[in-house]
Amino acid sequence: RAAVDFIDITLSKTQRKTPTVVHKHYQIHRIRHFYMRKVKFTQQNYHDRLSQILTDFPKLDDIHPFYADLMNVLYDKDHYKLALGQINIAKNLIDNVAKDYVRLMKYGDSLYRCKQLKRAALGRMCTILKRQKSSLEYLEQVRQHLSRLPSIDPNTRTLLLCGYPNVGKSSFINKVTRADVDVQPYAFTTKSLFVGHMDYRYLRWQVVDTPGILDHPLEERNTIEMQAITALAHLRAAVLYVMDVSEQCGHTLQEQLELFNSIRPLFANKPLIVVANKCDVKKITELSEENQKIFADLTAEGIPVIETSTLTEEGVMQVKTEACDRLLADRVENKMKGKKVHDVLNRLHLAMPAKRDDKERPPFIPEGALIRKRAMEVDAPKRRLERDLEVELGDDYILDLQKYWDLMNEEEKHDRVPEVWEGHNIADYIDPDIMKKLEDLEKEEELKERAGEYDSDDESEDEDMQEIRVLAKQIREKKQLLIVQSKDKDVHGPRMPRTTTKVERKKLEKEMGELGLDMNDKDDSHYAQQARRSRSITKKRKREASAPPTSKTRSQSASRPPRDQSGIRDPKMAKKAKKMMKNSQKDMNRQGKKGEADRHVFDLKPKHLLAGKRKSGTNDYR
Amino acid sequence: MPQNEHIELHRKRHGQRLDHHERKRKKESREVHERSHKAKKLIGLKAKLYHKQRHAEKIQMKKTLKMHEQRKTKQKNDDKTPEGAVPAYLLDREGQSRAKVLSNMIKQKRKEKAGKWEVPLPKVRAQGETEVLKVIKTGKRQKKAWKRMVTKVCFVGDGFTRKPPKYERFIRPMGLRFKKAHVTHPELKATFCLPILGVKKNPSSPLYTSLGVITKGTVVEVNVSELGLVTQGGKVIWGKYAQVTNNPENDGCINATVPGYPEFTRNVLTTTKNTKIQHAVGFQSQDHQEDR
């Protein structure tokens, strides 16, 4: 599918990106140029894409030998190179085809001839590519697999795990790093290299897990095992050879020793540790004599044998530290032997200050730091955290921050303090000196009062004024009372103020009389006169008993029902009529029209309809 | 699984969405509707491509269906009748005997001497001079028009050198000179790219033959030593006649076929009646042969 898609994409690109219109009556050079452009465009596209493929794939000679070997194991170097070679050939062929046909097109004297030549050229280029179908598919698969290889840095500190299948390499890497490798009871669970990272002594370490290796000669090894062998061969790492003491993996210790000896040459120059795994099932001391001898031999040769159990985690840390230390020492040693180290060493200089007198000046370490350091070493239990409490209580846990408060009265810690009292925020009044402030204020007020600041003016008021004052006071009181009463009632919610409603004369006179005003003989008062003048005195006649009007149209407009109610029998019909009205207005509203007759067009020549090529379709809507 | 196949790993550990299978089923069933919608609504070039592809798919489907059906029904078994089986009423007569073969050979040889050939394309359209030759104006005032340039594909031999430009009447541009032809052998059903030895006959005009112009229907001699053919006498054949079957100036390549019989037998090469050019054609009979 890759080749077909490639061809389709390129051809459709040619169709879209080059001019499409040409006529018989154009000048011949224009016709030629038109078709030559298409041929060259297609050729250019193919050339670019194929070159990109060729450059993006790594050259096996240019990459680190570890990756070169790994790729050889996985993809077969010959096949890989052949596929890329074929692509290169195809690219050159396409270029030649385009060149030939462009040359021929110069002699094209008619549109038909040029068109046929272009057709032949494009057809040939596409045929060349169709032939590369298998190469392209192979390269696609390689690309996908290659992009998924784990990123192993061949130059950094690495620990390499190897051994028979099912001995516990993946469990080890799971324990030591964050890599989540599949651990299953069947052999060859791990089918490719896995990488995990861990920290030790402030440095980043890679741990590489390999698929298990079986004991047979190199030629007979399959792809999976070869990956492990490649890793062993090329990575400069500390090797952890994992053995299964309990023989649960299905191979005896003898077989494991055999394998060890057969791949021994690969361990040259690498720090080696033998990890005796699954010691929770069977310890070395529980083994038979000859098996114990194996381990004794190994220790005698200088290879540390460490018992571990990835299940109970004993010995894992020990292995880690041992391996890391050894590898570090090895690497430092190698670096010292090399040439580059002198550059660095020459620039380093440890300055020791010369003593100027006999006074001892030991380094000063504060107490707290010492204590903390000791605590770190001893790994003392830290103080109990909230988190620990939470874990303990589980579901019952409630966050209670008030227990940490520092109050004078310890028992008040869990008291509930209200926030509002009598319309005031309590928070506004919390003040330690508040009583004292209150006293001061009161004293001040007393002083002021005594000084006479609050005495009112001694104006002499005549009796009328005083009477008026008294009356006004009464009125105010009454008013407030009424307000409170009505507020208490408030059955109808917010109401119109009294002044908007009409007050009858009788009521007015009665109320004023209650208040003490003389309300007799009030026919000449303004309100009475006003009332006489207003229209409310004239009674309205009932509609049914109306006499025929004098002028027809004017009175008809008054007597006719409004248009949205005429002819409507019941509320259901009224509702429907209203709905219809709204419906008919919807379109107009949406288009922002002022009414039915609004024909204004906001955009006479919209760009999205008029720009661009005329593709297939009618001109009705363009 | 490899370390960075995160999707697959997640799927392995946590399973899929709760409605995964239902969604998948629904999507697949919707595909039918979407395909039909596409088939109805596509227009233009995309529609052509799509319909072509779909047509091919349907043919395949029909074939497989037919194959499946074949299992259920009984078919006439063609293998049971051996080759050359003759019905009972013909049993007495014999097949072609040796004598007949020999006499056929003699007859062919005689026909060859007479020079009559059978070619794959008996009638071809004749090309007029205006079509094949283009007038080139020369001279100080560009008035002289005695030069002609060939606009069709031509063949010039290996030792070809142009006449001095002042005197050459017929210009054969380098861009239009071809040396190789794609020759199809109908019996072998294969196509080979063989070098041309020369133009034998152009049916339109002897002028074109002498110029080496190759158009549709031209008989061309090709070098077949690649194929390794051997005559009955034991001689290696290295040259054969082939007839051009396409318009080389439109396609940019010369496609030719070798006639079915090893030798030409009868003269049938003529042009159509529209043109005045007619031929009484005669060929030289030999294939170029080489003693082993």
Side-chain angles (χ1 to χ4, degrees):
Chain A
R1 278 254 63 178
V4 170
D5 283 341
F6 190 0
I7 293 171
D8 278 343
I9 290 170
T10 314
L11 286 179
S12 83
K13 201 169 176 188
T14 313
Q15 160 89 357
R16 279 178 295 123
K17 303 271 182 176
T18 52
T20 45
V21 181
V22 75
H23 291 294
K24 261 200 299 196
H25 58 76
Y26 286 177
Q27 293 188 311
I28 190 66
H29 71 85
R30 195 170 157 189
I31 298 177
R32 275 193 208 135
H33 179 76
F34 174 83
Y35 285 112
M36 273 201 263
R37 186 171 167 179
K38 291 206 187 258
V39 171
K40 277 196 246 173
F41 186 86
T42 316
Q43 178 253 330
Q44 191 65 41
N45 270 327
Y46 278 134
H47 183 97
D48 287 342
R49 290 255 180 162
L50 292 175
S51 326
Q52 199 192 26
I53 291 176
L54 287 172
T55 47
D56 283 347
F57 272 95
K59 266 178 142 174
L60 288 178
D61 305 322
D62 288 347
I63 51 180
H64 192 275
F66 165 62
Y67 278 113
D69 233 356
L70 192 64
M71 281 177 72
N72 185 11
V73 163
L74 290 168
Y75 317 128
D76 190 16
K77 188 162 78 165
D78 295 333
H79 197 175
Y80 178 81
K81 280 192 173 176
L82 266 173
L84 286 178
Q86 295 272 16
I87 300 281
N88 199 16
I89 290 174
K91 185 178 75 160
N92 288 335
L93 282 175
I94 287 176
D95 288 344
N96 286 339
V97 161
K99 211 170 12 151
D100 284 338
Y101 277 87
V102 162
R103 191 161 25 106
L104 266 177
M105 222 182 277
K106 291 191 198 147
Y107 299 101
D109 46 9
S110 68
L111 183 131
Y112 179 73
R113 197 159 149 187
C114 291
K115 186 172 180 180
Q116 294 298 96
L117 282 170
K118 162 227 165 206
R119 189 165 164 263
L122 292 194
R124 261 180 113 164
M125 287 194 251
C126 294
T127 320
I128 293 174
L129 258 174
K130 254 195 256 183
R131 287 203 308 247
Q132 305 302 325
K133 188 169 158 181
S134 55
S135 294
L136 282 173
E137 279 172 4
Y138 167 76
L139 284 174
E140 173 63 22
Q141 285 185 355
V142 167
R143 179 190 75 90
Q144 280 186 358
H145 197 272
L146 198 56
S147 68
R148 289 167 161 227
L149 287 182
S151 50
I152 302 177
D153 185 352
N155 298 322
T156 179
R157 302 158 285 276
T158 322
L159 300 178
L160 198 50
L161 295 162
C162 56
Y164 261 97
N166 241 349
V167 293
K169 304 185 286 296
S170 304
S171 328
F172 186 84
I173 192 174
N174 277 343
K175 282 278 173 268
V176 172
T177 68
R178 273 201 73 192
D180 232 343
V181 184
D182 255 355
V183 175
Q184 300 282 351
Y186 58 86
F188 286 107
T189 317
T190 313
K191 293 193 226 8
S192 63
L193 299 173
F194 280 81
V195 179
H197 292 85
M198 63 180 203
D199 292 321
Y200 177 75
R201 286 227 207 139
Y202 310 109
L203 292 170
R204 251 296 126 103
W205 296 74
Q206 266 181 156
V207 184
V208 177
D209 180 25
T210 66
I213 324 173
L214 296 171
D215 192 14
H216 37 223
L218 193 62
E219 296 78 40
E220 290 172 29
R221 292 201 185 277
N222 63 19
T223 319
I224 305 177
E225 293 173 354
M226 277 308 289
Q227 288 183 48
I229 302 287
T230 315
L232 270 175
H234 289 282
L235 295 175
R236 276 193 317 132
V239 179
L240 300 170
Y241 183 75
V242 186
M243 300 181 77
D244 183 357
V245 181
S246 66
E247 300 184 0
Q248 271 180 350
C249 62
H251 303 276
T252 64
L253 274 172
Q254 275 299 338
E255 290 178 2
Q256 297 187 34
L257 184 66
E258 282 294 317
L259 174 65
F260 179 75
N261 287 329
S262 65
I263 57 175
R264 197 93 185 249
L266 285 168
F267 299 157
N269 302 339
K270 298 191 178 109
L272 174 62
I273 295 182
V274 171
V275 178
N277 204 8
K278 305 198 192 172
C279 72
D280 53 315
V281 180
K282 213 176 196 186
K283 290 213 170 289
I284 291 188
T285 42
E286 294 169 21
L287 284 174
S288 62
E289 271 298 317
E290 40 184 59
N291 286 341
Q292 281 198 27
K293 193 169 160 304
I294 297 175
F295 289 109
D297 283 341
L298 287 172
T299 330
E301 287 176 31
I303 306 169
V305 176
I306 304 177
E307 280 197 321
T308 58
S309 166
T310 47
L311 209 58
T312 60
E313 290 196 43
E314 58 172 292
V316 168
M317 283 299 131
Q318 198 188 346
V319 169
K320 178 175 145 186
T321 46
E322 185 68 35
C324 293
D325 288 336
R326 283 192 162 222
L327 184 62
L328 266 179
D330 197 49
R331 279 172 77 97
V332 167
E333 205 187 302
N334 279 338
K335 282 206 178 126
M336 295 297 271
K337 278 192 232 158
K339 286 183 282 178
K340 281 194 211 168
V341 80
H342 291 295
D343 296 337
V344 183
L345 276 180
N346 287 340
R347 282 186 251 155
L348 287 177
H349 171 66
L350 185 59
M352 297 293 290
K355 283 184 170 272
R356 59 176 174 165
D357 55 20
D358 287 328
K359 195 168 172 190
E360 271 291 316
R361 290 189 179 86
F364 174 70
I365 304 171
E367 271 298 316
L370 270 176
I371 292 172
R372 208 172 291 160
K373 194 167 176 194
R374 242 176 272 140
M376 253 173 49
E377 283 169 17
V378 169
D379 209 14
K382 305 174 187 87
R383 60 156 221 263
R384 199 140 170 265
L385 301 171
E386 272 298 309
R387 171 75 184 153
D388 296 329
L389 188 61
E390 184 185 351
V391 163
E392 253 176 59
L393 289 177
D395 273 342
D396 301 330
Y397 173 70
I398 303 168
L399 178 63
D400 183 25
L401 290 171
Q402 290 170 338
K403 66 186 177 203
Y404 293 118
W405 287 354
D406 186 15
L407 299 174
M408 281 198 305
N409 190 353
E410 292 292 323
E411 288 154 5
E412 288 174 354
K413 268 189 198 174
H414 293 272
D415 282 354
R416 290 179 59 178
V417 180
E419 288 179 4
V420 180
W421 187 71
E422 294 212 338
H424 304 284
N425 283 336
I426 291 183
D428 289 342
Y429 294 93
I430 291 183
D431 197 338
D433 302 332
I434 201 155
M435 300 314 295
K436 188 164 170 301
K437 278 189 191 164
L438 188 59
E439 278 173 30
D440 287 338
L441 255 177
E442 279 184 0
K443 266 188 227 154
E444 223 185 283
E445 280 304 306
E446 216 178 310
L447 283 171
K448 274 193 188 164
E449 227 176 304
R450 252 186 254 150
E453 228 177 271
Y454 297 122
D455 290 346
S456 57
D457 292 333
D458 275 15
E459 262 175 64
S460 59
E461 286 173 337
D462 54 345
E463 282 219 350
D464 281 335
M465 266 319 273
Q466 283 183 344
E467 234 183 72
I468 290 173
R469 278 205 197 277
V470 168
L471 258 177
K473 194 170 170 203
Q474 277 181 338
I475 291 174
R476 258 185 245 126
E477 273 179 22
K478 184 84 189 248
K479 213 174 174 182
Q480 278 182 348
L481 252 174
L482 277 175
I483 288 174
V484 171
Q485 271 176 17
S486 81
K487 274 207 180 132
D488 281 338
K489 256 195 291 178
D490 206 15
V491 175
H492 301 285
R495 286 159 93 182
M496 297 280 269
R498 200 187 108 133
T499 43
T500 55
T501 56
K502 212 193 284 275
V503 182
E504 278 182 39
R505 184 182 167 179
K506 270 188 279 180
K507 192 167 171 217
L508 174 72
E509 289 184 349
K510 179 176 156 227
E511 274 187 18
M512 287 296 144
E514 271 174 34
L515 282 176
L517 211 59
D518 179 26
M519 279 304 200
N520 306 322
D521 264 345
K522 287 285 180 175
D523 275 341
D524 292 335
S525 64
H526 73 285
Y527 55 81
Q529 281 184 347
Q530 197 72 21
R532 276 196 290 272
R533 282 197 213 120
S534 75
R535 280 180 67 207
S536 56
I537 291 183
T538 55
K539 278 204 167 180
K540 276 204 167 150
R541 289 173 302 195
K542 291 217 165 167
R543 205 166 262 289
E544 285 82 72
S546 63
T550 45
S551 159
K552 211 175 182 191
T553 46
R554 199 131 302 192
S555 47
Q556 261 188 354
S557 69
S559 63
R560 260 210 200 118
R563 283 176 65 185
D564 60 353
Q565 288 169 19
S566 69
I568 300 216
R569 291 188 286 271
D570 49 28
K572 186 172 155 207
M573 204 168 164
K575 204 171 162 193
K576 184 165 185 188
K578 194 163 182 197
K579 198 170 165 189
M580 284 171 71
M581 176 194 75
K582 293 259 184 227
N583 254 342
S584 65
Q585 285 178 350
K586 250 195 233 173
D587 254 346
M588 285 191 287
N589 289 343
R590 199 185 323 126
Q591 289 169 12
K593 292 199 192 289
K594 283 183 244 164
E596 285 176 339
D598 183 3
R599 300 259 179 265
H600 178 247
V601 177
F602 289 96
D603 189 358
L604 270 172
K605 293 202 233 173
K607 187 169 174 188
H608 67 282
L609 292 178
L610 297 171
K613 290 188 185 173
R614 271 176 187 265
K615 294 216 166 134
S616 52
T618 61
N619 278 354
D620 289 348
Y621 54 88
R622 202 1 185 113
Chain B
M1 62 184 58
Q3 194 165 12
N4 50 10
E5 279 185 4
H6 300 289
I7 302 173
E8 285 82 348
L9 192 65
H10 181 273
R11 236 177 247 165
K12 195 172 166 193
R13 288 196 181 153
H14 306 283
Q16 284 163 338
R17 290 171 72 126
L18 294 167
D19 54 0
H20 170 83
H21 293 287
E22 188 181 326
R23 271 163 60 114
K24 193 167 161 197
R25 176 178 60 86
K26 288 193 133 191
K27 190 162 186 184
E28 278 165 18
S29 61
R30 250 182 276 137
E31 214 188 301
V32 178
H33 294 286
E34 279 170 22
R35 217 185 289 146
S36 91
H37 181 262
K38 237 205 306 188
K40 282 187 215 163
K41 298 285 181 183
L42 274 179
I43 48 173
L45 181 65
K46 282 189 191 165
K48 274 192 205 164
L49 292 172
Y50 178 77
H51 286 312
K52 191 166 153 200
Q53 184 197 3
R54 186 82 186 127
H55 187 57
E57 273 176 31
K58 281 190 173 168
I59 292 174
Q60 279 305 109
M61 279 193 324
K62 281 191 181 153
K63 273 194 189 161
T64 42
L65 281 172
K66 207 166 179 190
M67 255 173 35
H68 288 311
E69 273 171 30
Q70 255 189 355
R71 273 198 313 115
K72 299 177 196 165
T73 60
K74 288 191 183 174
Q75 304 280 340
K76 176 179 137 195
N77 195 345
D78 288 323
D79 296 335
K80 282 205 177 142
T81 52
E83 285 278 327
V86 160
Y89 49 86
L90 285 177
L91 269 175
D92 283 340
R93 300 176 200 212
E94 289 169 336
Q96 218 182 21
S97 61
R98 231 155 173 243
K100 270 221 159 155
V101 175
L102 273 171
S103 78
N104 271 342
M105 265 181 63
I106 297 169
K107 283 186 189 165
Q108 272 183 1
K109 275 246 158 75
R110 272 190 223 138
K111 277 187 198 155
E112 267 177 44
K113 271 207 173 148
K116 301 186 185 243
W117 301 101
E118 184 177 291
V119 286
L121 298 177
K123 284 194 198 291
V124 282
R125 190 180 76 88
Q127 319 264 357
E129 242 194 48
T130 43
E131 219 182 310
V132 176
L133 300 170
K134 180 178 152 192
V135 177
I136 303 275
K137 293 224 177 95
T138 52
K140 191 173 180 183
R141 284 184 224 108
Q142 298 285 306
K143 271 171 70 180
K144 300 194 192 178
W146 55 272
K147 280 188 181 238
R148 300 282 184 273
M149 185 174 85
V150 172
T151 60
K152 304 280 177 186
V153 162
C154 49
F155 171 76
V156 295
D158 266 344
F160 174 77
T161 33
R162 293 163 61 188
K163 286 216 283 230
K166 185 167 175 188
Y167 300 108
E168 68 179 341
R169 205 189 309 174
F170 293 101
I171 301 175
R172 279 163 282 189
M174 274 178 72
L176 290 173
R177 292 184 203 160
F178 275 64
K179 287 197 206 141
K180 288 199 163 195
H182 304 294
V183 182
T184 317
H185 198 290
E187 270 172 29
L188 300 173
K189 292 207 204 307
T191 315
F192 309 95
C193 190
L194 304 172
I196 305 175
L197 291 170
V199 172
K200 181 65 187 169
K201 183 146 191 76
N202 192 316
S204 308
S205 156
L207 172 65
Y208 302 154
T209 315
S210 63
L211 278 178
V213 172
I214 300 179
T215 56
K216 183 167 181 176
T218 314
V219 175
V220 160
E221 210 176 338
V222 285
N223 182 346
V224 293
S225 53
E226 233 183 60
L227 305 181
L229 303 168
V230 182
T231 58
Q232 280 193 333
K235 298 185 183 165
V236 176
I237 302 176
W238 61 272
K240 259 197 179 303
Y241 293 130
Q243 194 185 26
V244 175
T245 51
N246 73 331
N247 283 317
E249 69 274 2
N250 285 346
D251 297 332
C253 54
I254 306 176
N255 296 342
T257 51
V258 180
Y261 308 148
E263 284 102 295
F264 291 104
T265 53
R266 240 172 56 239
N267 164 27
V268 200
L269 180 63
T270 55
T271 56
T272 53
K273 282 185 192 151
N274 294 342
T275 66
K276 289 182 190 168
I277 306 165
Q278 299 231 348
H279 296 282
V281 200
F283 281 139
Q284 298 268 322
S285 68
Q286 298 137 356
D287 293 329
H288 293 263
Q289 292 176 352
E290 185 183 86
D291 284 318
R292 253 207 276 171

